[in-house]
Amino acid sequence: QFQLVESGGGLVQPGGSLRLSCAASGFNFNSYIIGWFRQAPGKEREGVACINTHSRSTYYANSVEGRFFISRDSNKNTIGLQMNNLNSEDTALYYCGIPSTSSCMSWDYWGQGTQVTVSS
């Protein structure tokens, strides 16, 4: 059974940074594309970033391109999301998940989420 546990969320001021982490277990970590998506009240689910096996390729949503960076550690079975220059539009619940396709838009599995709030 797939298990994904996110951590690292919190309150940050505009322009600040946060690093999220996700611990994966219950499956062959290195056989799957892994990613992050977010949800905020009144907004559609948005795929933030995805990374394929052995970090060969990455995808970023236009809204976070150049600010967010995804990584994976094949030895520790963890996924990171470094978020820089945060703004109010980044406020959301962030989920680590396994995407259904390489488009990083639909998801088969995900964790409980971690809240990121950007406010002064």
Side-chain angles (χ1 to χ4, degrees):
Q1 52 190 0
F2 290 77
Q3 185 172 13
L4 300 165
V5 181
E6 302 92 336
S7 62
L11 176 65
V12 64
Q13 295 183 8
S17 298
L18 281 176
R19 180 172 175 81
L20 306 183
S21 184
C22 173
S25 62
F27 63 99
N28 189 348
F29 178 80
N30 295 316
S31 295
Y32 290 86
I33 297 173
I34 305 292
W36 294 86
F37 67 88
R38 63 188 181 184
Q39 286 192 289
K43 297 182 179 180
E44 295 293 321
R45 175 180 293 181
E46 180 182 28
V48 173
C50 286
I51 186 168
N52 72 353
T53 55
H54 296 92
S55 304
R56 295 188 182 95
S57 182
T58 57
Y59 162 86
Y60 295 98
N62 289 337
S63 57
V64 307
E65 183 78 46
R67 299 189 298 120
F68 290 14
F69 302 91
I70 189 172
S71 61
R72 67 189 296 167
D73 189 321
S74 60
N75 294 320
K76 298 181 179 180
N77 285 12
T78 58
I79 309 97
L81 184 68
Q82 179 65 46
M83 306 185 295
N84 300 317
N85 194 24
L86 289 161
N87 59 66
S88 61
E89 297 299 314
D90 296 317
T91 295
L93 270 170
Y94 283 74
Y95 296 88
C96 173
I98 308 297
S100 301
T101 69
S102 60
S103 68
C104 199
M105 297 297 172
S106 59
W107 307 83
D108 289 332
Y109 305 95
W110 57 87
Q112 81 289 342
T114 185
Q115 177 68 38
V116 173
T117 302
V118 184
S119 177
S120 60

